[in-house]
Amino acid sequence: KSDAGLYTCDIGTDVAKSKVSVQEKPTEVTKQLENKTSPAGQDISLSCELSKADVNIRWYKDGKAIRRSQKYDLQQEGTRATLIIRDSTAKDS
């Protein structure tokens, strides 16, 4: 995006101008989530890889947003996004 701007070419008495805009590619999931099975009481970690680092993501369970709490830890480092479900129960399925 830093290359966007007005470019000119000065040809003595004439000037050519061009406005350049750069559109970033949308962020994509490059490595999908994998299905997990765990005994009750253990932590479960889900992670995916994204095409860009440090983008704003949201986690959902059955269409409802998940927020950081004692039950859920949300981590993001570079292009990896991780959800940790602590002390899993059957309700976490």
Side-chain angles (χ1 to χ4, degrees):
K1 280 200 146 198
S2 64
D3 292 320
L6 181 64
Y7 289 79
T8 60
C9 177
D10 188 342
I11 321 167
T13 59
D14 202 5
V15 176
K17 296 179 183 180
S18 176
K19 183 178 179 182
V20 174
S21 59
V22 179
Q23 296 178 348
E24 290 186 6
K25 292 181 180 180
T27 304
E28 297 175 349
V29 176
T30 58
K31 183 177 178 190
Q32 296 289 330
L33 295 170
E34 296 178 2
N35 294 334
K36 299 276 181 127
T37 302
S38 175
Q42 290 190 353
D43 292 354
I44 300 173
S45 176
L46 301 172
S47 65
C48 62
E49 293 280 338
L50 310 170
S51 61
K52 294 181 188 175
D54 304 320
V55 293
N56 188 21
I57 66 159
R58 292 184 181 171
W59 287 92
Y60 294 87
K61 179 186 184 267
D62 297 331
K64 294 182 181 179
I66 295 174
R67 290 179 175 75
R68 180 171 283 139
S69 64
Q70 286 184 325
K71 179 71 174 173
Y72 300 111
D73 187 17
L74 313 175
Q75 301 176 355
Q76 192 169 354
E77 186 174 319
T79 58
R80 178 178 288 260
T82 304
L83 167 66
I84 299 170
I85 305 168
R86 294 194 177 99
D87 193 25
S88 64
T89 67
K91 291 181 182 180
D92 295 313
S93 295

